[in-house]
Amino acid sequence: MSLRHALLGLLSERPASGYDLLKRFETSLANVWPATQSQMYTELSKLADGGMISVSAEGPRGRKEYTLTDEGLAELRHWLTETKPQRNTRSDILLRVFFLGVLTPDQARGYLTGLAELSEQEHEDLRWLDASIDWGDDTLSVHGRIALEYGLRFNAMRREWAHWAATQIR
């Protein structure tokens, strides 16, 4: 996934300003694809220059509202249907697990306990996010809830695995 496709996806729901996109990004995609404000505005400029989005309204202080163009929608659909998702093979967490043998057993168990606690905190953060969103029945809400559920289940699994792994350290 790229920031480009994330922004096209958000704009497929409705037109939005850069500020609106940043806020929607923070409550939806930031958990799976973090981006800074400057990265977002840079990408919006590139998308506009490439004809993927257009400025549909301008307001005070240079505020621009962007709309997805037919070319942008075609690119989003192409990305969804014609490209395979990249398998994320790098994991700092699991790389450390491979080398826990250089630590004392207490240190190794401590790492795994910390990972379980991190997973619990991330799970709670997602539960808070879920409760704070006024979910609708629009497509972004429906699929956003599906993605959020993945995060909840993933963190629950990782927490359970970390507790189990700590019992394997002798």
Side-chain angles (χ1 to χ4, degrees), residues 56-67:
S56 54
E58 293 192 46
R61 297 182 306 277
R63 181 184 187 279
K64 296 177 183 175
E65 184 173 271
Y66 297 97
T67 301

Side-chain angles (χ1 to χ4, degrees), residues 19-147:
Y19 177 80
D20 294 336
L21 288 167
L22 182 63
K23 292 303 172 197
R24 286 171 58 199
F25 205 88
E26 288 172 355
T27 60
S28 60
L29 299 176
N31 290 308
V32 296
W33 196 267
T36 65
Q37 180 178 355
S38 63
Q39 289 171 319
M40 289 184 67
Y41 280 100
T42 298
E43 192 60 41
L44 286 170
S45 292
K46 289 178 184 177
L47 288 168
D49 291 346
M52 303 280 181
I53 62 174
S54 64
V55 176
S56 54
E58 293 192 46
R61 297 182 306 277
R63 181 184 187 279
K64 296 177 183 175
E65 184 173 271
Y66 297 97
T67 301
L68 188 66
T69 64
D70 290 342
E71 292 83 5
L73 182 58
E75 169 58 25
L76 180 60
R77 287 180 174 156
H78 170 79
W79 176 73
L80 286 167
T81 60
E82 303 295 323
T83 63
K84 292 201 182 272
Q86 293 181 4
R87 184 174 173 263
N88 222 355
T89 56
R90 292 183 179 180
S91 171
D92 181 57
I93 289 172
L94 291 178
L95 182 60
R96 291 168 189 257
V97 169
F98 271 96
F99 298 113
L100 288 179
V102 303
L103 301 177
T104 67
D106 283 343
Q107 288 173 318
R109 280 189 292 275
Y111 171 77
L112 293 165
T113 300
L115 183 57
E117 291 167 357
L118 172 69
S119 299
E120 179 64 30
Q121 183 59 54
E122 289 181 5
H123 189 269
E124 289 305 312
D125 291 348
L126 289 174
R127 287 181 53 150
W128 178 87
L129 180 64
D130 184 23
S132 71
I133 295 174
D134 184 22
W135 297 103
D137 38 346
D138 56 285
T139 59
L140 197 56
S141 286
V142 170
H143 297 103
R145 288 186 83 175
I146 292 169

